[in-house]
Amino acid sequence: MQPHEIVDRLTILYGNKHPIINSLERVATTEELSSIFVLSSYLLGKKHRETVSALKNLIYERKPEDNIFVLFTVINGIGDDIEALHALRNVVSGSKFVNLQTELLFKLIINLDNRDEEVLSAIKNLVSTGAEPDMFLLFKVLQAIDTKNESIGTLKSVTLYKTNILKLAHQLTEEKYTIPLNLKNMIKSFEGEVLTDSLSRGQLRSKIWISDTVNDLDIDLGDMVYVCAGWYGVLPAILFERNKVKTIRSFDIDSSCALPAETLNRSYAQNDWQFKASTFDIRELIYTGEFEYETLKYNGDKETITDGAPTCVINTSCEHIDDFDDWWNNIPTGMLVVMQNNDFDDEDEHDHADNTVSSIEEWSKRLNVSETLYEGTLALDKYNRYMIIGYK
C-alpha cells in the first residue's frame, strides 16, 4: 500500500474519534506546515506548547527587518549561557529594538534543549523571508526543543520519507488499537493488490457500518461469531476494537487468506485462539452442537479444533457465494445473522460476483428473515451495499 492509501484508511478508521489523525494524513500527503505544528505540539506535550507556538509564529510572521538578524550575531556567541540569554532579552525588551518577532525569538531560544550553532543557524534561516521554510531545518529546531523526545523523529520520518506512518498513528490513537501495528506487519509480509483491495475505502466503510449498527442498536453478537468468506480478517479486527465480542472464527475457501487474517488479528489469535482463521468451504459448516474441523497453527502445523455452536453468522460477501441459497438454507432458523450484498456488477472489477441484488427490497425478499433488526443501504463510490441484520 502506498503512503497516501495508508493514511487515508487510517482516517476512515480513526479520524472521527481521534481528529488528530486527520493532521497525520495532511502531513503525510502534502507536508502541510500547520499540521506539522499541530502534531509537534501534541507530541511534545503541554510543557513545550508555548515554545512550539513561538516557532510557528516566528515563521508565520516573518518580516524583512534587520533587527532580528542582528540579534543572531550576539546570540550565536552566548547560546550555551542561559543567564546571558535572559540578560540580553531584558536589555532588548527595554529598548526600541524590541518587537513581537524578537520576543518570540527569545521565547523559542531560551526554551530549547539544544542551542548549538547548527540549531541557531537553522532558526535564522527559517525566519528569513527569502524562501519557503526548509523542512529539514524545521525538524532540526523541533527536535532541539526536547532532545529526548523520539516522537518528533518519527514525525520527521512520516513527513520527509513517508515511513513510520503506522507507528505514529498508534501513538496518536493513544495505543488503544491493534490494527495500526498489526497492519504494519501485514503490509510487510503480504503486500500486494489483494491486500490493498481488502482494505479499500469501500471495504472499510462497509465493515465499520456493521460495527456501528451493532453498537447503535445494542445487538448482542453472543460468545461465538462465525465470519463466512472472511478474506483477510478486516471485519474481525474492527469488531474486536469497537464491539463487545468474545470469540470469532473466520472461514474462507482461499488458503492464502488465513495467515494475513491472523497477522491483522495477531493478539487475539495468540490469546487461546480468541480469533482463528481457517481454510474451509463455508457450505460445509456446522451450526448446531459441537463442530470439529482441521485448522493450521501460525507455524503451519495441523491441529484439530472443536467449537461450540455459533451465536451469530456474518457474511459480507454474499454476492460471491456459489449456490447461495443452498448455503443460506443450511443456517438454522432463529440464528442471528448479518448479511451484506451489493449491486456492483462490473465484471472487469468484481470477479465472480454472480449473486448481486439491485435493491434492499430484493435482498430482504431473498433472505426472508423471521425477525428484522435492521435493514439499510450504504452508498459507496461505485455501488450500493445492502445490509440486513436479524434472526433467520
Side-chain angles (χ1 to χ4, degrees), residues 264-281:
L264 188 60
N265 294 275
R266 190 63 180 143
S267 56
Y268 305 103
Q270 291 176 325
N271 184 25
D272 293 329
W273 281 355
Q274 184 179 2
F275 172 81
K276 189 74 188 79
S278 300
T279 302
F280 202 89
D281 187 340

Side-chain angles (χ1 to χ4, degrees), residues 207 210 221 224-237 239-240 245 247-252 275-278 280 282 285 287 310 312-317 327 338-339:
K207 290 166 175 59
I210 293 176
L221 298 178
M224 174 66 73
V225 176
Y226 277 13
V227 177
C228 298
W231 206 3
Y232 274 19
V234 176
L235 176 60
L239 292 177
F240 278 126
V245 59
T247 305
I248 298 179
R249 298 289 182 252
S250 179
F251 301 100
D252 202 291
F275 172 81
K276 189 74 188 79
S278 300
F280 202 89
I282 63 172
L285 288 174
Y287 303 96
C312 177
V313 177
I314 302 176
N315 191 333
T316 65
S317 301
W327 172 78
V338 180
M339 297 288 128

Side-chain angles (χ1 to χ4, degrees), residues 36-46 48-49 52 152:
I36 293 174
F37 282 118
V38 168
L39 291 173
S40 297
S41 182
Y42 177 89
L43 294 170
L44 286 165
K46 186 176 181 180
H48 299 292
R49 198 157 294 159
V52 174
I152 299 300

Side-chain angles (χ1 to χ4, degrees), residues 76-130:
N76 282 336
I78 62 173
D80 290 332
D81 190 336
I82 191 68
E83 291 186 3
L85 284 170
H86 277 292
L88 178 61
R89 182 184 193 180
N90 290 332
V91 169
V92 170
S93 65
S95 70
K96 296 180 180 179
F97 190 85
V98 70
N99 57 31
L100 174 61
Q101 203 175 21
T102 55
E103 178 56 27
L104 289 171
L105 178 64
F106 278 113
K107 182 177 289 188
L108 170 63
I109 293 177
I110 286 173
N111 288 292
L112 290 177
D113 199 15
N114 173 19
R115 292 183 294 276
D116 66 21
E117 185 176 343
E118 287 188 1
V119 173
L120 295 177
S121 177
I123 296 172
K124 183 177 179 180
N125 280 283
L126 286 170
V127 299
S128 169
T129 58

